[in-house]
Amino acid sequence: MAEFNISGRMAVKSLKKQFKDAFGATLRVYNGAKFADDDATLASIRAAGAKGGEVKVVGNMQVGNFENKIKEVFGIKVQVANKDDSALAANDITIAAAGR
C-alpha cells in the first residue's frame, strides 16, 4: 500500500505530485481562500499557532480524517478530489478509493 510522510519543508507542488503518484487522486492545497502557490513550502503558508510536525499518509485513511489532520498539524486547508480533479471526494471514502 502506498504511503509517504508530509513535513513543513515540503513544497506544495511536491506534495501534490507525491499524492497523485501514490494514490491517483488530486490534492487541492489552499492558502486562505485561494490555491496555494506551488513553489511555497507548507511551513511558509502554515497558519499561526499550528503545531507543525509530520503527517504519515496511507491509502486506507479516510478523506475527511486526512483533511482534518493536515488542518490540525499544519493549519492548512486541503481537499481531496477525484483523479481528473472534476469533483471533490466524499469524506467517508478512503484516499485510495478517491483515486480510482
Side-chain angles (χ1 to χ4, degrees), residues 1 23-25 59 82-84 93-100:
M1 175 172 297
F23 309 116
N82 61 4
K83 188 175 224 137
D84 63 0
I93 64 171
T94 65
I95 294 171
R100 291 189 202 121

Side-chain angles (χ1 to χ4, degrees), residues 31-90:
N31 185 2
K34 298 180 178 174
F35 286 117
D37 180 14
D38 277 348
D39 294 326
T41 63
L42 297 182
S44 73
I45 62 172
R46 180 171 56 206
K51 66 182 184 179
E54 266 193 18
V55 174
K56 182 176 184 175
V57 187
V58 293
N60 64 356
M61 186 181 256
Q62 284 191 333
V63 168
N65 292 342
F66 167 71
E67 292 173 353
N68 291 336
K69 188 71 171 173
I70 297 298
K71 183 74 169 173
E72 174 189 323
V73 174
F74 297 109
I76 297 170
K77 179 181 178 181
V78 297
Q79 292 188 306
V80 177
N82 61 4
K83 188 175 224 137
D84 63 0
D85 199 15
S86 62
L88 294 177

Side-chain angles (χ1 to χ4, degrees), residues 13-36:
K13 80 175 146 197
S14 297
L15 170 59
K16 294 189 323 190
K17 182 180 181 335
Q18 280 191 7
F19 193 87
K20 183 77 160 183
D21 291 348
F23 309 116
T26 304
L27 185 65
R28 299 177 183 178
V29 182
Y30 296 87
N31 185 2
K34 298 180 178 174
F35 286 117

